[in-house]
Structure formats: C-alpha cells, structure tokens
Amino acid sequence: MPLYRDFSDDTATILVWKYDESEELDIHELLEPENAEKVKDYHPKKLQEVLMVRKLLKSLKPHSKILYKEREPFLSPKDAEISITHSFPFAAIAVSKNKIGIDIEKFNPKILRVIDKFTYENERGFIPKDNEAAFYTIIWSVKESMYKIHHSKYWSLKKNYEVKPFELKHLHKISCRVYDEQFSDEFKARVEFFDDYCFTIVEE
C-alpha cells in the first residue's frame, strides 16, 4: 500500500494515505464486525475513508481492531494510544506510546463564516487580514487535535481550547492548551502542509 506521507517521530507512528482507485478496500476483510452497524448508512466516500484507516492499521498492527467508546476510537487489544482522521481522498492514523490527537483539514475560505463558534475575539489579534482562512483553518485543526486527547470532558472548542499566536514560518511548536477554571494542560502542536490541506499533530 503506497503511503502519501510519513510524519512518525520517536514516540509515534503517524501515516497518511491518499486514496488510489487501484487499491482494493474489502469491507469484509477490513471492517471490524463490531462496527458494521455504525457504518451501514455511511456515504460511500466516508466508508472508503474508514476502510483506508483500517488498512493503514493492518500495515502496523495486523491483529488489532479499532473500536469505539462514546464515539472515541481505541485499540483492541489496548497496547497503544490511537488517533484517526480523514478528509477524502486522505486518511491518517497515529499509533503512539502516549495520548495523541491528529486532524486533517482542507483550506477553505468558508471557515470565516464560523470563526465565532471556535474562537474569541481576543484570540484573533495576530491574524493577518490577507491570510485569515489559512490561520483559522490551522487554529481549528489544532483545537480538533487537542479535543481528541481530552474528548470526554472538554467539549467546547471555544471555551476550553486555546491556540497561542504563531507564524506560518514556525509551525512545528505552536503553543496551545486545554483548560477550565481549575485546570490547564499545555501542549506543543505540529502543523504540516500538503496539497491544499493542513495536518496537525498534538502529543502528550
């Protein structure tokens, strides 16, 4: 199976695959029986994304399954942490010793319509007017990656997630945090670009 990108590091294997029509995706071979009901009404492209992730997993851990607890994926047997993301034609998986969140987003000016849903006005002062869509896409994606680490407790990307000011030339150590009135968990996000997409990685 040809990989599109490999962003692995010392603690995590992080792989991205771009869909190729010549690649066979056999639902009976790849999908866990436990997830048959979950995907029965999926759009064909979304189902392809799900199967792509499973094929990536089989290349890494052929005897493992991806199961879900309250929509959050986990490995069975649970011998590592996992995060998955997809946006057709791309799908990605991260398998790590530590908690990890990954997210892929296509750059799209339409994101400017929803910035009030995931940022406060005081978070926006560093964003240049001539490149707003790129900056907000990165912010959204970093927050989505953090959400995958703190999925069960911190649900509001606007209220509980913060991305500190950054520049496009320094995207490998973006300061960010998950927080509430009593708690703050600090991270460094890594952002990669390919095609018209950004790909973010947040590791504990």
Side-chain angles (χ1 to χ4, degrees):
M1 181 181 67
L3 286 176
Y4 188 77
R5 290 287 190 276
D6 185 339
F7 296 120
S8 303
D9 57 28
D10 291 341
T11 60
T13 301
I14 306 165
L15 306 178
V16 182
W17 180 23
K18 187 175 183 179
Y19 179 66
D20 181 342
E21 290 184 0
S22 66
E23 191 78 30
E24 184 178 356
L25 296 172
D26 186 339
I27 188 171
H28 303 292
E29 175 190 340
L30 297 173
L31 187 70
E32 306 85 356
E34 295 91 335
N35 292 322
E37 186 70 17
K38 177 182 175 66
V39 306
K40 68 176 185 177
D41 296 322
Y42 277 15
H43 185 279
K45 282 188 177 179
K46 186 172 183 181
L47 181 58
Q48 285 175 328
E49 294 169 347
V50 168
L51 297 178
M52 287 164 66
V53 166
R54 269 62 184 178
K55 196 150 189 175
L56 283 169
L57 178 64
K58 283 192 178 298
S59 71
L60 298 173
K61 298 173 75 67
H63 303 297
S64 294
K65 297 179 179 181
I66 298 175
L67 302 179
Y68 295 85
K69 181 179 180 181
E70 296 176 355
R71 297 175 58 194
E72 187 174 4
F74 66 91
L75 276 182
S76 176
K78 199 173 189 320
D79 55 0
E81 299 291 338
I82 190 174
S83 184
I84 61 178
T85 186
H86 35 70
S87 178
F88 195 84
F90 293 103
I93 189 170
V95 177
S96 177
K97 300 174 185 176
N98 306 316
K99 281 195 173 183
I100 188 167
I102 60 173
D103 184 68
I104 185 170
E105 299 290 341
K106 187 170 186 177
F107 290 109
N108 190 330
K110 290 181 180 178
I111 197 168
L112 300 179
R113 303 176 187 172
V114 297
I115 59 174
D116 287 334
K117 293 186 177 180
F118 66 95
T119 63
Y120 287 111
E121 190 171 345
N122 60 9
E123 287 184 272
R124 308 170 194 160
F126 72 98
I127 296 175
K129 292 293 184 184
D130 61 348
N131 206 5
E132 287 181 303
F135 276 80
Y136 283 117
T137 302
I138 292 168
I139 291 171
W140 171 271
S141 191
V142 170
K143 290 189 176 189
E144 282 282 341
S145 292
M146 285 192 288
Y147 175 80
K148 291 176 180 179
I149 294 177
H150 282 284
H151 177 271
S152 59
K153 185 174 182 181
Y154 298 98
W155 57 270
S156 172
L157 295 186
K158 184 170 183 175
K159 293 179 180 178
N160 299 116
Y161 298 81
E162 180 184 15
V163 179
K164 303 292 178 64
F166 61 88
E167 299 177 359
L168 293 185
K169 60 183 179 181
H170 299 298
L171 290 175
H172 277 199
K173 289 187 178 181
I174 297 177
S175 295
C176 50
R177 68 177 181 139
V178 183
Y179 69 98
D180 63 15
E181 292 81 2
Q182 288 86 34
F183 168 89
S184 181
D185 201 356
E186 309 273 340
F187 299 98
K188 295 289 185 184
R190 171 182 165 198
V191 180
E192 305 282 355
F193 294 161
F194 50 81
D195 289 16
D196 292 322
Y197 291 78
C198 81
F199 182 69
T200 64
I201 303 161
V202 176
E203 299 180 71
E204 273 196 335

